[in-house]
Amino acid sequence: MALIEPAGAHTARMWEVTADIRARIDALPFLAELGAGTLDPEKFTFYIQQDAQYLVAYQKSMTTLAGKAPGADDLRFWAKSAVGAVAEEKAMQEELFTNDTLASHRVEGLGMSLHTAAYSNFLLASATYDTYAVAAAAVLPCYWIYAESGVAVLEASKGALEGHLYGTWVEAYADDSFTSIAREAVRIVEEACDVAGEAERERAVEAFRQATRFEELFWTQPMDDPADRTLI
């Protein structure tokens, strides 16, 4: 059962069509090892540095999405995500690098990976060129999948976060406040699809599916040997 239930028929379908991808995400070694605290620090550091670059595109996408919002409440939600949520995540990442072990693996001027670039460009294109419902569905996995995975990682840690190398990350995404924000995003997408046409709803479902696949790839790429990663 999902931590965050679908808000209606449209988000239920999105959840259903991504069942295979989500099952693979649940079994990812990256997340299991992150929760257990056994993940190679180099791999986690690569992930965080890629995430920092992804956040630039994510923030631009949220800002563009806010401009398409049909009402004040939706506008405030996306605008707050673009400013407050991203700022908090960046601060969390910098806090992680106060740890000497992680800082020693930080690569100055690290390029963007192929997967990071593809995901970033997908979100930017959706926010810029597609309708509100489709663009909102494209960013929804950033909330929904992350919230579900954050709690799963917390469970893998067995609550032993004191002295946990990645405890700051685990706490951020397993936090009740993040779950609440993700639940609100699900509701907004459901309502956007309610007033959309049938063809637009189909594109929204497909956008959610593609973004969920990108989430999976984002968490598989750190596990590659550094020599096999494709940077652009």
Side-chain angles (χ1 to χ4, degrees):
M1 180 179 293
L3 168 72
I4 300 170
E5 291 296 322
H10 309 304
T11 46
R13 183 155 176 250
M14 292 175 187
W15 199 245
E16 180 183 353
V17 300
T18 55
D20 58 333
I21 304 173
R22 292 185 292 100
R24 294 197 301 267
I25 288 174
D26 289 344
L28 286 177
F30 177 85
L31 294 176
E33 293 176 21
L34 195 164
T38 58
L39 182 65
D40 182 340
E42 186 279 330
K43 298 184 185 303
F44 183 78
T45 301
F46 176 81
Y47 156 75
I48 288 295
Q49 289 199 264
Q50 290 302 307
D51 194 43
Q53 297 185 72
Y54 162 82
L55 280 176
V56 176
Y58 175 80
Q59 189 168 39
K60 291 177 181 178
S61 299
M62 295 300 103
T63 301
T64 303
L65 190 54
K68 292 187 173 186
D73 289 344
D74 285 16
L75 188 156
R76 276 192 293 270
F77 179 84
W78 301 121
K80 187 175 181 180
S81 291
V83 179
V86 171
E88 290 173 9
E89 190 160 354
K90 288 180 178 177
M92 180 265 291
Q93 292 176 346
E94 288 305 312
E95 182 180 346
L96 284 165
F97 284 125
T98 61
N99 181 281
D100 290 342
T101 299
L102 297 180
S104 68
H105 291 284
R106 194 174 193 174
V107 178
E108 293 299 326
L110 181 68
M112 184 179 284
S113 75
L114 188 61
H115 290 325
T116 303
Y119 194 8
S120 298
N121 290 335
F122 168 76
L123 289 187
L124 286 168
S126 296
T128 303
Y129 299 113
D130 224 317
T131 63
Y132 177 70
V134 177
V139 302
L140 183 55
C142 301
Y143 297 89
W144 203 354
I145 301 299
Y146 251 81
E148 298 283 343
S149 298
V151 171
V153 169
L154 178 62
E155 291 175 352
S157 75
K158 299 179 180 177
L161 295 182
E162 185 175 352
H164 194 299
L165 185 57
Y166 312 119
T168 299
W169 189 96
V170 176
E171 288 178 330
Y173 292 109
D175 188 79
D176 288 343
S177 63
F178 185 73
T179 301
S180 178
I181 292 169
R183 189 172 286 112
E184 179 69 5
V186 173
R187 182 194 63 78
I188 287 173
V189 170
E190 182 69 32
E191 291 180 355
C193 287
D194 267 341
V195 298
E198 188 58 36
E200 186 179 357
R201 289 174 189 156
E202 289 299 315
R203 295 203 315 276
V205 170
E206 179 59 18
F208 181 85
R209 190 195 68 79
Q210 290 184 23
T212 302
R213 173 65 171 140
F214 275 125
E215 290 288 343
E216 178 189 9
L217 292 172
F218 206 84
W219 284 325
T220 59
Q221 65 175 349
M223 304 305 283
D224 292 339
D225 186 276
D228 295 332
R229 296 173 186 151
T230 302
L231 302 180
I232 61 173

